[in-house]
Amino acid sequence: MRVFDDWETELDKNEWYFTDCYEELTKGLSSSDAFAAIPDIIDVLLTIKETYLLSETLDFLRIVYNIADTTEIHPILLEQWENITRHIQWFDDSYSNSVWKELQYTLRITELN
């Protein structure tokens, strides 16, 4: 994801860098296009090696799901559920865990394991 290229420098220049990028990426996005974008976000999410970027990617996934305006669990999300959960747990970041739980609540997921 190009948004992460030189992100620290960009964030130093603009504290709203990620918010601005996400707004630009989602501008005019239809609900079906948002739903179709979920696998790409999951691919990025599973390659993240930085806590801050993990939380930002989870935020973006939540934003895209809100635009998709559905509680349908994307098949790729369902397929990667355990991998994503382990990936988040590995970072042991309270904010990322919170965003993950919020997404679960939005999708009406009580338990998938």
Side-chain angles (χ1 to χ4, degrees):
M1 213 161 113
R2 284 194 211 166
V3 171
F4 294 156
D5 292 347
D6 205 25
W7 66 274
E8 290 169 313
T9 302
E10 295 298 328
L11 201 57
D12 284 342
K13 292 190 277 184
N14 173 10
E15 69 181 289
W16 298 105
Y17 170 70
F18 284 110
T19 301
D20 293 346
C21 288
Y22 297 158
E23 285 177 5
E24 185 64 32
L25 287 169
T26 59
K27 187 189 328 180
L29 200 62
S30 70
S31 60
S32 60
D33 288 340
F35 193 76
I38 290 169
D40 293 332
I41 300 167
I42 291 169
D43 285 346
V44 170
L45 177 68
L46 290 171
T47 63
I48 296 294
K49 293 179 177 31
E50 167 89 33
T51 303
Y52 191 80
L53 297 181
L54 176 70
S55 65
E56 287 296 331
T57 306
L58 285 165
D59 273 335
F60 188 57
L61 179 60
R62 186 181 56 186
I63 289 165
V64 170
Y65 245 111
N66 285 337
I67 294 168
D69 194 28
T70 184
T71 58
E72 179 183 348
I73 303 170
H74 195 287
I76 301 300
L77 180 60
L78 188 58
E79 176 184 302
Q80 293 296 332
W81 191 267
E82 288 184 39
N83 291 331
I84 295 168
T85 300
R86 276 194 301 271
H87 194 63
I88 293 168
Q89 288 171 345
W90 185 81
F91 283 93
D92 194 30
D93 175 56
S94 61
Y95 182 76
S96 296
N97 279 311
S98 173
V99 174
W100 185 235
K101 286 180 180 169
E102 185 177 326
L103 182 61
Q104 290 174 42
Y105 178 78
T106 300
L107 297 175
R108 300 180 183 147
I109 298 170
T110 54
E111 187 80 28
L112 278 181
N113 297 336

